[in-house]
Amino acid sequence: MELHRGTEPQELVRIGIQGAVIGPAGGPLTVQLFAGPRRSDVAWYFLRTYAPFELKSPQGNLVFHSKGRVAAGPVEKRMIFEWARSVAAEGADSRLTDAYGLVLAWHQGGSSGICRDVALYLTGDAKASACGWDKDIEGRLDPAILPQVYVWFDRLKSFQAAAGDRDMRQGSLETRLVFAGNGNRQAGASEQGEIQAFGAALFGELAARREGAAPAQDAPATPLVKKPLSPAPPPSSRLLLPLHPALPKTDTEIVLNLPDQPPPPPPGMGVPPHPRPRPTPTPEDSLPPD
């Protein structure tokens, strides 16, 4: 990928599989390797999945060089563009925090020591954590789900909401939601409830990916308002891409039907027989013939 952004002198960012080079266009570029393998995995998935394209926007221009065959629609192009911006921001400022590109942060905690957190970013990346976990669980939102996320982000203003509840099994629970919207309209009670339920469902799906995790259960959804809310997506729905998404097949894919056993070599091309050992010479062999 090649990302150009800013005014003169314009910044140039070239992103590859293992990292990026960043600097002023026409000037010296600095190599910035990815901090972890997840960036490389995502870059490789984009490269092999989507066909090349160009995207121009007020935030920058992106040229995407790839080997994929799937035509990227507006949502996929924005997803890749937001991912490139995130890589560029990290490379330009190592002090960048996890707040860059954040769409929503959902938290649930209780008096019994329960704490659950999930964060979702414009890139489609999601990350969940909880008390007692040895590490965070990461995933990528399915591109089919991203349009709703972008609609929320583009239309609604930022807001924070919190509510308490009493769960007979787990004691007092509090749910907090931080939504970092970029729109100009206040979120209504119904929309706040939808986003809260989305965060709870996203945490539940990520939590189910933990090694040795118990069967997934929906995190208790604490109402943010008293009126009925839109329910969270049912457990059978999928918000995330699979852990190891398969690359899409194309009509031009070549399938090789290889036999189970190699065929025999053609006549005259086999392995030559081992030469017979020459007999040990005797004294009689050195006498002249009669």
Side-chain angles (χ1 to χ4, degrees), residues 1-5 13 15 53-57 60-65 76-85:
M1 308 180 196
E2 292 183 8
L3 175 64
H4 296 260
R5 63 178 190 170
V13 186
I15 305 173
F53 66 84
E54 295 186 18
L55 177 66
K56 295 183 178 181
S57 76
N61 300 329
L62 178 69
V63 179
F64 180 61
H65 308 281
E76 289 83 359
K77 289 181 179 179
R78 180 174 181 178
M79 172 185 67
I80 296 173
F81 178 68
E82 296 290 358
W83 185 85
R85 291 180 65 198

Side-chain angles (χ1 to χ4, degrees), residues 9-282:
Q10 199 173 49
E11 182 186 52
L12 171 63
V13 186
R14 291 195 178 105
I15 305 173
I17 298 300
Q18 297 181 337
V21 290
I22 303 174
L29 302 178
T30 303
V31 177
Q32 300 285 345
L33 297 178
F34 292 147
R38 179 150 186 84
R39 285 289 195 196
S40 295
D41 293 342
V42 174
W44 183 252
Y45 176 74
F46 288 160
L47 172 72
R48 297 293 302 274
T49 302
Y50 296 105
F53 66 84
E54 295 186 18
L55 177 66
K56 295 183 178 181
S57 76
Q59 292 76 31
N61 300 329
L62 178 69
V63 179
F64 180 61
H65 308 281
S66 65
K67 300 179 180 179
R69 301 297 182 88
V70 177
V75 171
E76 289 83 359
K77 289 181 179 179
R78 180 174 181 178
M79 172 185 67
I80 296 173
F81 178 68
E82 296 290 358
W83 185 85
R85 291 180 65 198
S86 177
V87 171
E90 289 179 357
D93 188 353
S94 59
R95 298 169 298 176
L96 188 71
T97 66
D98 288 343
Y100 183 86
L102 181 71
V103 177
L104 67 87
W106 177 91
H107 168 82
Q108 190 172 69
S111 58
S112 58
I114 294 174
C115 62
R116 307 180 178 110
D117 291 273
V118 69
L120 176 65
Y121 299 87
L122 287 171
T123 59
D125 291 309
K127 179 168 58 177
S129 61
C131 293
W133 291 9
D134 56 347
K135 62 179 180 180
D136 297 344
I137 304 299
E138 298 179 336
R140 284 195 60 77
L141 209 62
D142 191 314
I145 307 297
L146 270 173
Q148 180 60 70
V149 175
Y150 289 152
V151 166
W152 286 333
F153 178 81
D154 294 336
R155 292 182 180 177
L156 303 178
K157 292 182 178 180
S158 298
F159 68 85
Q160 298 185 34
D165 194 8
R166 181 75 184 175
D167 188 283
M168 297 301 295
R169 297 166 301 171
Q170 300 171 333
S172 178
L173 287 173
E174 182 186 33
T175 299
R176 295 197 303 269
L177 176 67
V178 176
F179 178 77
N182 194 43
N184 53 18
R185 184 166 66 81
Q186 294 286 351
S190 177
E191 290 166 319
Q192 289 188 22
E194 290 174 0
I195 298 172
Q196 188 270 348
F198 182 88
L202 184 58
F203 175 85
E205 190 166 334
L206 285 166
R209 292 187 171 187
R210 289 184 63 231
E211 184 176 354
Q217 296 181 354
D218 291 338
T222 302
L224 298 177
V225 292
K226 294 182 179 180
K227 64 181 294 185
L229 303 177
S230 299
S236 59
S237 66
R238 188 185 68 190
L239 300 179
L240 301 169
L241 286 174
L243 282 173
H244 305 287
L247 297 176
K249 296 183 179 180
T250 64
D251 295 336
T252 59
E253 184 178 11
I254 299 175
V255 179
L256 299 179
N257 295 318
L258 299 177
D260 296 333
Q261 299 294 332
M269 296 297 291
V271 178
H274 295 289
R276 294 182 180 179
R278 298 181 62 182
T280 304
T282 63

